Amino acid sequence: MEILLVEDNMSDAELTIRALKKNNLVNKLVHLEDGQEALDFIFAEGNYSQRKIEDTPKLILLDLKMPKINGIQVLEKIKSDERTKKIPVIVLTSSKEDPDIQACYLLGVNSYVVKPVQFEKFLDTVSHLGLYWMIINQPPQ
Amino acid sequence: MKNNSFDKILILLFSIVVIGIIIAGIFTYRYNQEQQTAERWKEHSQEGLLKLEKTFLLAQDIVLGTRGYVITGDTNFLSSFQKAKAIINENITELENRITNNPSQEERVDTLKKLLEARIALCVQIIEQRKQNGHVMANQNLLTHQGKQLIEDILILTDSIKTEESQLMQIRQQSYLQNRHNFTVSLYVLFVCIFLLLFFLFFFIEHNLMVRKKAEEQLKEYHHFFNNNNDLCGIANTNGYFVSINNNFSKVLGYSEKEFCEIPFIELIHPDDVAATLLVFESLKTGATTIHFITRYRKKDGSYLNLDWNATPNLLTGKHYYVALDITERKKAEEQLLAMNKELEAFSYSISHDLRAPLRAVNGYAQMLSEDYGAKLDEEGNRLIKTICANAIIMGTLIDELLAYSKLGRKKVKRTIINMNELVEGVVTDMDKSYTEKAEIKIGTLHQVNADYGLLRQVMFNLISNALKYSSKKVHPIVEIFSEEKNGEVIISVKDNGAGFDMRYYDKLFGVFQRLHKQNEFEGVGVGLAIVHSVIIRHGGKVWAEGKVNEGAIFNFSLAKNQNQ
């Protein structure tokens, strides 16, 4: 398991996955559609209780605006738990006007990225992200 | 301060005048006494001279009486002799009394007395001889040299006493005149001092009356201010009770002045504000002034008012002076505004989020369609897909610009002194090279302005990029940036020789999403000038422009030179 994508908008998810595929970065990707599911998955609870918590994703792509538990809450949980705080989390959001940008950085987000409207730019952004975090960036051993 | 020094001067003048009166009084009294003494001495001398004269006459009477009797034997002469002899001693004693305190005169009088006694004794002897021995013997005696000598001595002595006494009298007369003069002078001085005292008293009373009248008038005036004030004004004591409140105070709170002054004011303060109020109250007791202290105050009907207090203590009278502004409505409006702002923010956030997501999908899926099935579509099919993509992108830009516009509208203006040349050069450097390389940009020496740096940078960016954009189709585009100072305002202008605009549509120039050119002529969504307008208006300035189709345009804005925050 390498990338966890948490995104409730199916179109955005499809665009993201397509962009990652183009760069051959989707050999192992899990897509979850809300915050609660994401937390269950990461902490191996509920439906995912058979999972091992140590089996952490190499990268989490997190949307902020989601029903029930939003991205901020998910980020807070991940970054406040010793077992998961080392996982790089990239927040993907629709707007740079987002008032949560400050909160995300305070919670220890690794990157904050605005999804462009233009398809080419979107592809570009996602593939840059994938390349950087999956290949260039050196995670802790 | 001014009154204080006036009082001091007045007290000083009073003191000087009173001391003058005392001194002049003492001198007047003394000179008066001395004058009387001198007069007495003068009379004394006159009387002395009279007595001397009389004594000499009596002595002559004695001699003449003796002589008459000896010659005629007539006893009538004898009786006149006897009479003179009887009173001459008395006269001499009186003379002695008149010339006491003068040793040389006393000595002379003493000698005179002895000479007279000797002369009288001689006369008595002659008379006795006449009685016993008859006329011849006595006559012999009468004509002796001794008698004549005695009389001559008496005459000389009398003269010298007279001369001496006359001299004395003259001296006394002089001293009398001198004293009288001194007395008159000191009396004048006394009069002048008393007059001055009266004058100062009058002036002082007059001045005091005036001050008092003024103070009363002022008090009346202040009373008008106090009672006609729309603020709540009150005077309280250090025990925590109001002693006086103005009309509006009782009107707003619903208590009469009497009712209100019987309630400890702390009882009317909202329980949550009591602790803070007590702190302020204690600090007032130490003499500190309080401004803009906000508490909630209970009205008679039980509802609460938000009051903004200013308070000043007077430590001497132990009174606190309060002025409060009823800010209940303002507070409500502020809260509403805050809520509205929050709502607006949420709305903007929602727009940026929720409108962009579907746009991204439209654009993305059209693009995916083109990638996956483009080969199977004909040219027209591919053109339609491209149009979908292009429009989605335009809408994305529109949303971004609209958000930027609304965000600028909410941004607080933070003024600093801005070096406009630095700002403009920074803006030009940051601009797209494809525009700036082709154009000639002339930047004059610009006046500095007092404005929000970020907002003004945005304004200059929009104006300069507009100028570059609309002149980009010219062979030799020229953009000029210059400034001037006029009537306390700095006017910054950006001029280009580009497409210009038709003045008939001037009123649309600064509207949001208003454009005077077709999209395929010049790209843009029509927010740039709206932002310029909004920012300058928020700085209290003005924006205006002039243009002519195909001959260029000039955009100006003015900012006050010395604008305070």
Side-chain angles (χ1 to χ4, degrees), chain A residues 9-12 14-15 18 22 63 65 93-95 97-100 114-120 122-123, chain B residues 345 349-350 352-354 356-361 363-365 367-368 371-372 392-393 396 400 403-404 407:
Chain A
N9 183 323
M10 291 311 287
S11 310
D12 274 356
E14 196 180 341
L15 290 173
R18 188 181 173 103
K22 276 202 165 180
D63 186 34
K65 219 178 162 209
T93 177
S94 281
S95 168
E97 307 291 326
D98 213 311
D100 296 328
V114 177
K115 292 181 269 189
V117 169
Q118 217 170 333
F119 183 65
E120 287 88 352
F122 188 84
L123 283 186
Chain B
E345 250 166 58
Y349 175 66
S350 164
S352 74
H353 244 277
D354 299 346
R356 281 162 62 99
L359 270 180
R360 214 161 35 237
N363 185 273
Y365 279 84
Q367 202 68 43
M368 273 152 53
E371 278 177 12
D372 296 353
I393 291 164
D400 286 346
L403 280 172
K407 200 182 167 190

Side-chain angles (χ1 to χ4, degrees), chain B residues 32-50:
Chain B
N32 186 35
Q33 290 296 101
E34 279 176 15
Q35 189 195 347
Q36 279 175 12
T37 312
E39 200 168 2
R40 257 204 312 281
W41 276 113
K42 202 177 82 180
E43 282 169 10
H44 221 73
S45 296
Q46 274 170 338
E47 279 170 18
L49 284 176
L50 280 174

Side-chain angles (χ1 to χ4, degrees), chain B residues 27-80:
Chain B
F27 273 95
T28 309
Y29 176 76
R30 228 189 77 193
Y31 287 135
N32 186 35
Q33 290 296 101
E34 279 176 15
Q35 189 195 347
Q36 279 175 12
T37 312
E39 200 168 2
R40 257 204 312 281
W41 276 113
K42 202 177 82 180
E43 282 169 10
H44 221 73
S45 296
Q46 274 170 338
E47 279 170 18
L49 284 176
L50 280 174
K51 291 291 166 198
L52 192 65
E53 206 76 41
K54 193 162 183 193
T55 305
F56 184 70
L57 285 175
L58 285 170
Q60 273 183 333
D61 277 357
I62 286 169
V63 173
L64 288 174
T66 308
R67 204 173 280 170
Y69 174 66
V70 168
I71 293 166
T72 62
D74 186 351
T75 48
N76 274 340
F77 285 107
L78 213 55
S79 74
S80 95

Side-chain angles (χ1 to χ4, degrees), chain A residues 1-16:
Chain A
M1 215 284 292
E2 304 225 70
I3 299 179
L4 172 63
L5 172 65
V6 189
E7 172 67 81
D8 68 316
N9 183 323
M10 291 311 287
S11 310
D12 274 356
E14 196 180 341
L15 290 173
T16 310

Side-chain angles (χ1 to χ4, degrees), chain B residues 78-106:
Chain B
L78 213 55
S79 74
S80 95
F81 165 84
Q82 290 295 0
K83 217 164 97 190
K85 192 188 160 217
I87 56 172
I88 197 163
N89 277 335
E90 198 186 321
N91 246 309
I92 286 174
T93 314
E94 279 176 9
L95 181 66
E96 274 178 328
N97 285 341
R98 295 289 182 275
I99 54 160
T100 45
N101 296 332
N102 189 337
S104 64
Q105 287 289 77
E106 272 176 24

Side-chain angles (χ1 to χ4, degrees), chain B residues 132-146:
Chain B
Q132 284 162 21
N133 304 325
H135 171 252
V136 180
M137 193 60 190
N139 206 23
Q140 248 174 2
N141 260 334
L142 192 71
L143 297 173
T144 56
H145 187 71
Q146 193 191 0

